[in-house]
PDB file of all heavy atoms in Angstrom:
ATOM      1  N   VAL A 387      84.321  99.607 105.157  1.00 98.00           N
ATOM      2  CA  VAL A 387      85.093  99.682 103.917  1.00 98.00           C
ATOM      3  C   VAL A 387      85.205  98.268 103.359  1.00 98.00           C
ATOM      4  O   VAL A 387      85.484  97.326 104.110  1.00 98.00           O
ATOM      5  CB  VAL A 387      86.514 100.228 104.193  1.00 98.00           C
ATOM      6  CG1 VAL A 387      87.282 100.389 102.892  1.00 98.00           C
ATOM      7  CG2 VAL A 387      86.445 101.542 104.946  1.00 98.00           C
ATOM      8  N   LEU A 388      84.968  98.117 102.066  1.00 98.00           N
ATOM      9  CA  LEU A 388      85.052  96.793 101.441  1.00 98.00           C
ATOM     10  C   LEU A 388      86.239  96.738 100.487  1.00 98.00           C
ATOM     11  O   LEU A 388      86.367  97.601  99.609  1.00 98.00           O
ATOM     12  CB  LEU A 388      83.772  96.499 100.656  1.00 98.00           C
ATOM     13  CG  LEU A 388      82.444  96.615 101.419  1.00 98.00           C
ATOM     14  CD1 LEU A 388      81.269  96.270 100.505  1.00 98.00           C
ATOM     15  CD2 LEU A 388      82.453  95.711 102.645  1.00 98.00           C
ATOM     16  N   PHE A 389      87.080  95.736 100.654  1.00 98.00           N
ATOM     17  CA  PHE A 389      88.183  95.500  99.721  1.00 98.00           C
ATOM     18  C   PHE A 389      87.751  94.331  98.836  1.00 98.00           C
ATOM     19  O   PHE A 389      87.456  93.248  99.361  1.00 98.00           O
ATOM     20  CB  PHE A 389      89.466  95.104 100.469  1.00 98.00           C
ATOM     21  CG  PHE A 389      90.104  96.243 101.240  1.00 98.00           C
ATOM     22  CD1 PHE A 389      89.513  96.754 102.383  1.00 98.00           C
ATOM     23  CD2 PHE A 389      91.313  96.787 100.817  1.00 98.00           C
ATOM     24  CE1 PHE A 389      90.099  97.794 103.096  1.00 98.00           C
ATOM     25  CE2 PHE A 389      91.910  97.832 101.519  1.00 98.00           C
ATOM     26  CZ  PHE A 389      91.304  98.336 102.667  1.00 98.00           C
ATOM     27  N   SER A 390      87.702  94.531  97.521  1.00 97.00           N
ATOM     28  CA  SER A 390      87.271  93.442  96.643  1.00 97.00           C
ATOM     29  C   SER A 390      88.349  92.352  96.626  1.00 97.00           C
ATOM     30  O   SER A 390      89.515  92.606  96.983  1.00 97.00           O
ATOM     31  CB  SER A 390      87.048  93.959  95.229  1.00 97.00           C
ATOM     32  OG  SER A 390      88.301  94.273  94.657  1.00 97.00           O
ATOM     33  N   ASN A 391      87.967  91.152  96.182  1.00 95.00           N
ATOM     34  CA  ASN A 391      88.943  90.060  96.102  1.00 95.00           C
ATOM     35  C   ASN A 391      90.102  90.443  95.202  1.00 95.00           C
ATOM     36  O   ASN A 391      91.269  90.164  95.501  1.00 95.00           O
ATOM     37  CB  ASN A 391      88.287  88.785  95.561  1.00 95.00           C
ATOM     38  CG  ASN A 391      87.374  88.191  96.607  1.00 95.00           C
ATOM     39  OD1 ASN A 391      87.512  88.488  97.792  1.00 95.00           O
ATOM     40  ND2 ASN A 391      86.428  87.377  96.167  1.00 95.00           N
ATOM     41  N   SER A 392      89.787  91.107  94.077  1.00 96.00           N
ATOM     42  CA  SER A 392      90.881  91.449  93.152  1.00 96.00           C
ATOM     43  C   SER A 392      91.773  92.538  93.758  1.00 96.00           C
ATOM     44  O   SER A 392      92.988  92.537  93.555  1.00 96.00           O
ATOM     45  CB  SER A 392      90.340  91.835  91.774  1.00 96.00           C
ATOM     46  OG  SER A 392      89.674  93.057  91.858  1.00 96.00           O
ATOM     47  N   ALA A 393      91.191  93.438  94.549  1.00 98.00           N
ATOM     48  CA  ALA A 393      92.023  94.449  95.219  1.00 98.00           C
ATOM     49  C   ALA A 393      92.985  93.771  96.192  1.00 98.00           C
ATOM     50  O   ALA A 393      94.177  94.117  96.266  1.00 98.00           O
ATOM     51  CB  ALA A 393      91.145  95.449  95.956  1.00 98.00           C
ATOM     52  N   MET A 394      92.474  92.778  96.924  1.00 97.00           N
ATOM     53  CA  MET A 394      93.325  92.062  97.883  1.00 97.00           C
ATOM     54  C   MET A 394      94.463  91.349  97.155  1.00 97.00           C
ATOM     55  O   MET A 394      95.619  91.385  97.599  1.00 97.00           O
ATOM     56  CB  MET A 394      92.499  91.049  98.686  1.00 97.00           C
ATOM     57  CG  MET A 394      91.570  91.668  99.709  1.00 97.00           C
ATOM     58  SD  MET A 394      92.399  92.736 100.900  1.00 97.00           S
ATOM     59  CE  MET A 394      93.271  91.554 101.909  1.00 97.00           C
ATOM     60  N   LYS A 395      94.117  90.743  96.009  1.00 96.00           N
ATOM     61  CA  LYS A 395      95.162  90.023  95.250  1.00 96.00           C
ATOM     62  C   LYS A 395      96.221  90.996  94.768  1.00 96.00           C
ATOM     63  O   LYS A 395      97.421  90.729  94.848  1.00 96.00           O
ATOM     64  CB  LYS A 395      94.536  89.284  94.061  1.00 96.00           C
ATOM     65  CG  LYS A 395      93.925  87.972  94.498  1.00 96.00           C
ATOM     66  CD  LYS A 395      93.582  87.070  93.311  1.00 96.00           C
ATOM     67  CE  LYS A 395      92.691  85.941  93.795  1.00 96.00           C
ATOM     68  NZ  LYS A 395      91.407  85.872  93.122  1.00 96.00           N
ATOM     69  N   SER A 396      95.794  92.167  94.246  1.00 97.00           N
ATOM     70  CA  SER A 396      96.766  93.169  93.763  1.00 97.00           C
ATOM     71  C   SER A 396      97.690  93.612  94.892  1.00 97.00           C
ATOM     72  O   SER A 396      98.899  93.761  94.700  1.00 97.00           O
ATOM     73  CB  SER A 396      96.060  94.422  93.235  1.00 97.00           C
ATOM     74  OG  SER A 396      95.161  94.093  92.244  1.00 97.00           O
ATOM     75  N   LEU A 397      97.120  93.806  96.065  1.00 97.00           N
ATOM     76  CA  LEU A 397      97.938  94.276  97.191  1.00 97.00           C
ATOM     77  C   LEU A 397      98.894  93.167  97.651  1.00 97.00           C
ATOM     78  O   LEU A 397     100.082  93.410  97.905  1.00 97.00           O
ATOM     79  CB  LEU A 397      97.049  94.709  98.358  1.00 97.00           C
ATOM     80  CG  LEU A 397      96.238  95.993  98.142  1.00 97.00           C
ATOM     81  CD1 LEU A 397      95.190  96.183  99.231  1.00 97.00           C
ATOM     82  CD2 LEU A 397      97.169  97.221  98.108  1.00 97.00           C
ATOM     83  N   GLU A 398      98.366  91.943  97.736  1.00 96.00           N
ATOM     84  CA  GLU A 398      99.188  90.840  98.244  1.00 96.00           C
ATOM     85  C   GLU A 398     100.339  90.502  97.296  1.00 96.00           C
ATOM     86  O   GLU A 398     101.415  90.106  97.737  1.00 96.00           O
ATOM     87  CB  GLU A 398      98.304  89.596  98.465  1.00 96.00           C
ATOM     88  CG  GLU A 398      97.531  89.670  99.780  1.00 96.00           C
ATOM     89  CD  GLU A 398      96.288  88.782  99.814  1.00 96.00           C
ATOM     90  OE1 GLU A 398      96.009  88.106  98.801  1.00 96.00           O
ATOM     91  OE2 GLU A 398      95.585  88.802 100.827  1.00 96.00           O
ATOM     92  N   SER A 399     100.088  90.681  95.995  1.00 96.00           N
ATOM     93  CA  SER A 399     101.135  90.269  95.046  1.00 96.00           C
ATOM     94  C   SER A 399     102.033  91.443  94.623  1.00 96.00           C
ATOM     95  O   SER A 399     102.936  91.287  93.808  1.00 96.00           O
ATOM     96  CB  SER A 399     100.482  89.657  93.795  1.00 96.00           C
ATOM     97  OG  SER A 399      99.661  90.637  93.192  1.00 96.00           O
ATOM     98  N   PHE A 400     101.788  92.619  95.169  1.00 95.00           N
ATOM     99  CA  PHE A 400     102.534  93.803  94.742  1.00 95.00           C
ATOM    100  C   PHE A 400     104.003  93.713  95.161  1.00 95.00           C
ATOM    101  O   PHE A 400     104.313  93.370  96.301  1.00 95.00           O
ATOM    102  CB  PHE A 400     101.903  95.064  95.354  1.00 95.00           C
ATOM    103  CG  PHE A 400     102.486  96.334  94.834  1.00 95.00           C
ATOM    104  CD1 PHE A 400     102.197  96.779  93.543  1.00 95.00           C
ATOM    105  CD2 PHE A 400     103.357  97.097  95.613  1.00 95.00           C
ATOM    106  CE1 PHE A 400     102.749  97.957  93.052  1.00 95.00           C
ATOM    107  CE2 PHE A 400     103.909  98.266  95.132  1.00 95.00           C
ATOM    108  CZ  PHE A 400     103.608  98.696  93.855  1.00 95.00           C
ATOM    109  N   GLU A 401     104.883  94.001  94.199  1.00 95.00           N
ATOM    110  CA  GLU A 401     106.312  93.970  94.539  1.00 95.00           C
ATOM    111  C   GLU A 401     106.806  95.383  94.743  1.00 95.00           C
ATOM    112  O   GLU A 401     106.997  96.144  93.789  1.00 95.00           O
ATOM    113  CB  GLU A 401     107.091  93.261  93.436  1.00 95.00           C
ATOM    114  CG  GLU A 401     106.828  91.762  93.486  1.00 95.00           C
ATOM    115  CD  GLU A 401     107.475  90.995  92.359  1.00 95.00           C
ATOM    116  OE1 GLU A 401     108.388  91.537  91.705  1.00 95.00           O
ATOM    117  OE2 GLU A 401     107.044  89.853  92.140  1.00 95.00           O
ATOM    118  N   ALA A 402     106.999  95.740  96.002  1.00 92.00           N
ATOM    119  CA  ALA A 402     107.384  97.124  96.324  1.00 92.00           C
ATOM    120  C   ALA A 402     108.804  97.417  95.847  1.00 92.00           C
ATOM    121  O   ALA A 402     109.683  96.556  95.918  1.00 92.00           O
ATOM    122  CB  ALA A 402     107.277  97.326  97.825  1.00 92.00           C
ATOM    123  N   GLN A 403     109.000  98.646  95.375  1.00 95.00           N
ATOM    124  CA  GLN A 403     110.325  99.054  94.881  1.00 95.00           C
ATOM    125  C   GLN A 403     111.134  99.773  95.965  1.00 95.00           C
ATOM    126  O   GLN A 403     112.333  99.989  95.810  1.00 95.00           O
ATOM    127  CB  GLN A 403     110.184 100.006  93.672  1.00 95.00           C
ATOM    128  CG  GLN A 403     109.346  99.455  92.534  1.00 95.00           C
ATOM    129  CD  GLN A 403     109.946  98.184  91.952  1.00 95.00           C
ATOM    130  OE1 GLN A 403     111.129  98.151  91.645  1.00 95.00           O
ATOM    131  NE2 GLN A 403     109.132  97.139  91.850  1.00 95.00           N
ATOM    132  N   ASN A 404     110.475 100.212  97.004  1.00 96.00           N
ATOM    133  CA  ASN A 404     111.188 100.918  98.072  1.00 96.00           C
ATOM    134  C   ASN A 404     110.435 100.747  99.398  1.00 96.00           C
ATOM    135  O   ASN A 404     109.268 100.320  99.394  1.00 96.00           O
ATOM    136  CB  ASN A 404     111.351 102.413  97.709  1.00 96.00           C
ATOM    137  CG  ASN A 404     109.999 103.065  97.448  1.00 96.00           C
ATOM    138  OD1 ASN A 404     109.108 103.003  98.292  1.00 96.00           O
ATOM    139  ND2 ASN A 404     109.837 103.671  96.274  1.00 96.00           N
ATOM    140  N   PRO A 405     111.086 101.079 100.529  1.00 95.00           N
ATOM    141  CA  PRO A 405     110.439 100.859 101.842  1.00 95.00           C
ATOM    142  C   PRO A 405     109.132 101.644 101.987  1.00 95.00           C
ATOM    143  O   PRO A 405     108.197 101.179 102.647  1.00 95.00           O
ATOM    144  CB  PRO A 405     111.486 101.359 102.846  1.00 95.00           C
ATOM    145  CG  PRO A 405     112.783 101.360 102.105  1.00 95.00           C
ATOM    146  CD  PRO A 405     112.474 101.561 100.654  1.00 95.00           C
ATOM    147  N   GLY A 406     109.059 102.816 101.378  1.00 96.00           N
ATOM    148  CA  GLY A 406     107.828 103.625 101.475  1.00 96.00           C
ATOM    149  C   GLY A 406     106.651 102.879 100.870  1.00 96.00           C
ATOM    150  O   GLY A 406     105.566 102.805 101.472  1.00 96.00           O
ATOM    151  N   GLN A 407     106.885 102.301  99.692  1.00 97.00           N
ATOM    152  CA  GLN A 407     105.819 101.533  99.035  1.00 97.00           C
ATOM    153  C   GLN A 407     105.428 100.324  99.887  1.00 97.00           C
ATOM    154  O   GLN A 407     104.262 100.011 100.061  1.00 97.00           O
ATOM    155  CB  GLN A 407     106.293 101.042  97.665  1.00 97.00           C
ATOM    156  CG  GLN A 407     106.328 102.132  96.611  1.00 97.00           C
ATOM    157  CD  GLN A 407     106.617 101.555  95.225  1.00 97.00           C
ATOM    158  OE1 GLN A 407     107.222 100.494  95.101  1.00 97.00           O
ATOM    159  NE2 GLN A 407     106.202 102.281  94.208  1.00 97.00           N
ATOM    160  N   GLN A 408     106.456  99.643 100.438  1.00 96.00           N
ATOM    161  CA  GLN A 408     106.197  98.451 101.249  1.00 96.00           C
ATOM    162  C   GLN A 408     105.355  98.799 102.470  1.00 96.00           C
ATOM    163  O   GLN A 408     104.379  98.112 102.792  1.00 96.00           O
ATOM    164  CB  GLN A 408     107.527  97.817 101.684  1.00 96.00           C
ATOM    165  CG  GLN A 408     107.364  96.474 102.357  1.00 96.00           C
ATOM    166  CD  GLN A 408     106.593  95.488 101.465  1.00 96.00           C
ATOM    167  OE1 GLN A 408     107.007  95.217 100.341  1.00 96.00           O
ATOM    168  NE2 GLN A 408     105.443  95.008 101.947  1.00 96.00           N
ATOM    169  N   ASP A 409     105.723  99.899 103.127  1.00 95.00           N
ATOM    170  CA  ASP A 409     104.969 100.348 104.318  1.00 95.00           C
ATOM    171  C   ASP A 409     103.511 100.610 103.977  1.00 95.00           C
ATOM    172  O   ASP A 409     102.599 100.210 104.711  1.00 95.00           O
ATOM    173  CB  ASP A 409     105.553 101.679 104.831  1.00 95.00           C
ATOM    174  CG  ASP A 409     106.599 101.435 105.880  1.00 95.00           C
ATOM    175  OD1 ASP A 409     106.916 100.253 106.104  1.00 95.00           O
ATOM    176  OD2 ASP A 409     107.096 102.433 106.447  1.00 95.00           O
ATOM    177  N   ALA A 410     103.308 101.310 102.853  1.00 97.00           N
ATOM    178  CA  ALA A 410     101.938 101.680 102.456  1.00 97.00           C
ATOM    179  C   ALA A 410     101.106 100.430 102.176  1.00 97.00           C
ATOM    180  O   ALA A 410      99.950 100.326 102.616  1.00 97.00           O
ATOM    181  CB  ALA A 410     101.964 102.598 101.235  1.00 97.00           C
ATOM    182  N   VAL A 411     101.708  99.446 101.481  1.00 97.00           N
ATOM    183  CA  VAL A 411     100.963  98.225 101.153  1.00 97.00           C
ATOM    184  C   VAL A 411     100.683  97.419 102.431  1.00 97.00           C
ATOM    185  O   VAL A 411      99.573  96.905 102.621  1.00 97.00           O
ATOM    186  CB  VAL A 411     101.723  97.381 100.103  1.00 97.00           C
ATOM    187  CG1 VAL A 411     101.095  96.009  99.957  1.00 97.00           C
ATOM    188  CG2 VAL A 411     101.707  98.095  98.755  1.00 97.00           C
ATOM    189  N   THR A 412     101.684  97.341 103.314  1.00 96.00           N
ATOM    190  CA  THR A 412     101.459  96.613 104.581  1.00 96.00           C
ATOM    191  C   THR A 412     100.326  97.264 105.363  1.00 96.00           C
ATOM    192  O   THR A 412      99.459  96.580 105.931  1.00 96.00           O
ATOM    193  CB  THR A 412     102.745  96.610 105.438  1.00 96.00           C
ATOM    194  OG1 THR A 412     103.800  96.119 104.620  1.00 96.00           O
ATOM    195  CG2 THR A 412     102.604  95.755 106.677  1.00 96.00           C
ATOM    196  N   THR A 413     100.316  98.592 105.406  1.00 96.00           N
ATOM    197  CA  THR A 413      99.250  99.283 106.150  1.00 96.00           C
ATOM    198  C   THR A 413      97.892  99.002 105.512  1.00 96.00           C
ATOM    199  O   THR A 413      96.912  98.718 106.203  1.00 96.00           O
ATOM    200  CB  THR A 413      99.520 100.805 106.195  1.00 96.00           C
ATOM    201  OG1 THR A 413     100.821 101.011 106.728  1.00 96.00           O
ATOM    202  CG2 THR A 413      98.505 101.530 107.059  1.00 96.00           C
ATOM    203  N   LEU A 414      97.826  99.058 104.173  1.00 97.00           N
ATOM    204  CA  LEU A 414      96.543  98.788 103.508  1.00 97.00           C
ATOM    205  C   LEU A 414      96.046  97.370 103.813  1.00 97.00           C
ATOM    206  O   LEU A 414      94.863  97.166 104.101  1.00 97.00           O
ATOM    207  CB  LEU A 414      96.678  98.977 101.989  1.00 97.00           C
ATOM    208  CG  LEU A 414      96.663 100.428 101.511  1.00 97.00           C
ATOM    209  CD1 LEU A 414      97.217 100.548 100.094  1.00 97.00           C
ATOM    210  CD2 LEU A 414      95.255 101.004 101.577  1.00 97.00           C
TER     211      LEU A 414
END
Side-chain angles (χ1 to χ4, degrees):
V387 184
L388 305 181
F389 289 71
S390 71
N391 288 340
S392 69
M394 288 304 288
K395 279 193 193 122
S396 304
L397 290 169
E398 280 158 359
S399 61
F400 188 73
E401 287 175 17
Q403 305 299 311
N404 57 54
Q407 285 188 335
Q408 188 56 58
D409 268 5
V411 169
T412 307
T413 305
L414 282 163

